[in-house]
Amino acid sequence: DTGVSQDPRHKITKRGQNVTFRCDPISEHNRLYWYRQTLGQGPEFLTYFQNEAQLEKSRLLSDRFSAERPKGSFSTLEIQRTEQGDSAMYLCASTLLAGEETQYFGPGTRLLVL
Amino acid sequence: GENVEQHPSTLSVQEGDSAVIKCTYSDSASNYFPWYKQELGKRPQLIIDIRSNVGEKKDQRIAVTLNKTAKHFSLHITETQPEDSAVYFCAAESGNTGKLIFGQGTTLQVKP
């Protein structure tokens, strides 16, 4: 499979629990982006990596959110002490550097916080 | 801050008619403008994109136009088909980070 993959596809958790999502980008893609999409809205930028370096974080990303890309390949997004307002679809996208701006999206992880 | 406005929010057309969706953006440094189609429960799929060095791009039934001076761009779908029914998002790249600022989406319904 040469596309962007995400795991899990669905997650139901109770308020206050921690959750972690994984994204595997397209092989050799240098940039990896995380977005959040709520029902009826467009995706909102959360953060992005160039190789293993996290270069920008949105103000949407509170200190309960942390993302890593330790070896410049897959990335994880962790949400600590989840709140009901965190319920959303979390999308990952990747792109090749050097002028190739096209972002390819993964299928997303749908999070429901009860 | 960076912003992309998209109109209309819903659009219903008869099969075979044309559909037009319009977006405006605020970041004058934006140089890349993709359009994504998202079906219910699925990932956004790129359908066409345009860079700031061209004013129009066409791919079969889909075309996009860009007016950098006015900071707006539009998606045109001709000879619409029921399978074109989906939510369409425009986006603008912010600065040189590659991050995309998305519009609010347009739900297109093509009636057979």
Side-chain angles (χ1 to χ4, degrees):
Chain A
D1 185 359
T2 56
V4 179
S5 61
Q6 292 186 245
D7 184 71
R9 296 289 307 277
H10 304 273
K11 179 70 177 180
I12 300 174
T13 191
K14 293 182 179 179
R15 189 176 52 188
Q17 298 295 304
N18 300 342
V19 294
T20 300
F21 310 141
R22 176 178 170 129
C23 170
D24 286 88
I26 294 173
S27 179
E28 297 180 357
H29 273 196
N30 302 100
R31 287 190 175 177
L32 186 150
Y33 299 82
W34 285 99
Y35 293 87
R36 180 171 66 189
Q37 186 177 26
T38 53
L39 202 61
Q41 300 294 317
E44 295 176 298
F45 169 78
L46 293 179
T47 187
Y48 92 98
F49 293 84
Q50 182 167 306
N51 298 313
E52 66 275 8
Q54 188 175 18
L55 297 186
E56 185 173 342
K57 293 168 61 173
S58 164
R59 287 170 294 178
L60 292 174
L61 218 62
S62 76
D63 55 8
R64 296 185 297 105
F65 288 70
S66 62
E68 293 182 340
R69 195 182 183 198
K71 297 182 180 179
S73 56
F74 73 91
S75 175
T76 58
L77 178 68
E78 180 183 16
I79 309 174
Q80 296 182 327
R81 305 181 303 280
T82 52
E83 302 173 355
Q84 288 184 325
D86 297 331
S87 297
M89 173 77 86
Y90 290 83
L91 292 163
C92 173
S94 71
T95 184
L96 201 57
L97 197 51
E100 178 55 63
E101 301 99 335
T102 302
Q103 292 190 22
Y104 299 90
F105 280 85
T109 295
R110 183 169 294 283
L111 172 67
L112 178 61
V113 182
L114 301 176
Chain B
E2 305 138 337
N3 189 45
V4 174
E5 294 287 335
Q6 182 173 346
H7 299 281
S9 57
T10 60
L11 181 58
S12 181
V13 299
Q14 276 312 122
E15 181 177 0
D17 288 350
S18 295
V20 179
I21 303 171
K22 298 182 178 182
C23 291
T24 59
Y25 61 97
S26 60
D27 186 353
S28 55
S30 294
N31 288 312
Y32 174 66
F33 308 90
W35 286 87
Y36 285 86
K37 175 184 180 182
Q38 188 175 32
E39 296 176 350
L40 192 62
K42 297 192 175 180
R43 74 186 77 192
Q45 296 269 19
L46 180 75
I47 55 171
I48 195 167
D49 56 16
I50 191 166
R51 289 168 174 81
S52 60
N53 56 345
V54 298
E56 184 172 356
K57 182 177 179 181
K58 190 173 181 180
D59 182 4
Q60 299 182 357
R61 297 186 297 109
I62 296 173
V64 58
T65 58
L66 171 65
N67 183 329
K68 277 222 78 178
T69 303
K71 291 194 282 188
H72 66 69
F73 56 113
S74 302
L75 177 72
H76 303 252
I77 306 174
T78 58
E79 300 171 26
T80 53
Q81 301 166 2
E83 51 265 38
D84 294 330
S85 297
V87 181
Y88 291 80
F89 292 99
C90 62
E93 181 196 13
S94 175
N96 62 359
T97 67
K99 74 180 183 186
L100 297 176
I101 308 300
F102 283 84
Q104 299 89 338
T106 296
T107 301
L108 174 64
Q109 181 186 28
V110 180
K111 299 177 185 176

